[in-house]
């Protein structure tokens, strides 16, 4: 089929309010004419990549930074757990 025939069929489908058929014919015409090949590339100069944790789950939680010189407390010895307490009875 040539492009002019497809164009006429597309216009007839649009006049009959059959927009799905008209859309399919328009896409076929654009493929045949190569209209998509001369697309201008998008300008991405001002765009930045999203940082992890900037959006999504857990965004309401603040990231805590310890004060300078702070060291975490020593972990308890698991062998002494539960000792030193008297059980009531």
């Amino acid at each position: 089929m040539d492009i002019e025939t497809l164009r006429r069929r597309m216009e007839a489908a649009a006049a009959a309010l059959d927009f799905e058929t008209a859309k399919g014919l328009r896409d076929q015409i654009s493929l045949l004419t190569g209209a998509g090949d001369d697309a201008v590339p998008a300008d991405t100069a001002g765009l930045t990549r999203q940082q992890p944790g900037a959006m999504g789950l857990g965004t309401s939680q603040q990231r805590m930074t310890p004060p300078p010189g702070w060291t975490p407390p020593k972990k308890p010895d698991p062998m002494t757990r539960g000792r030193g307490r008297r059980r009531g009875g």
Side-chain angles (χ1 to χ4, degrees):
M1 240 182 244
D2 65 341
I3 294 174
E4 192 57 40
T5 306
L6 288 174
R7 201 167 275 147
R8 276 189 256 124
R9 286 180 54 196
M10 178 186 69
E11 290 171 0
L17 301 179
D18 186 8
F19 298 115
E20 292 295 321
T21 305
K23 181 184 83 157
L25 291 168
R26 180 202 62 200
D27 293 343
Q28 284 181 357
I29 293 168
S30 67
L31 284 174
L32 290 174
T33 58
D37 295 339
D38 58 355
V40 178
D43 180 22
T44 59
L47 300 178
T48 58
R49 184 172 285 281
Q50 177 181 340
Q51 298 300 316
M55 292 182 66
L57 296 176
T59 55
S60 62
Q61 297 177 359
Q62 296 180 354
R63 292 187 181 173
M64 301 302 291
T65 55
W70 180 83
T71 58
K74 201 173 183 184
K75 290 186 178 180
D77 185 10
M79 297 300 290
T80 60
R81 184 176 177 198
R83 300 196 180 238
R85 291 187 185 173
R86 293 188 178 215
R87 299 189 181 203

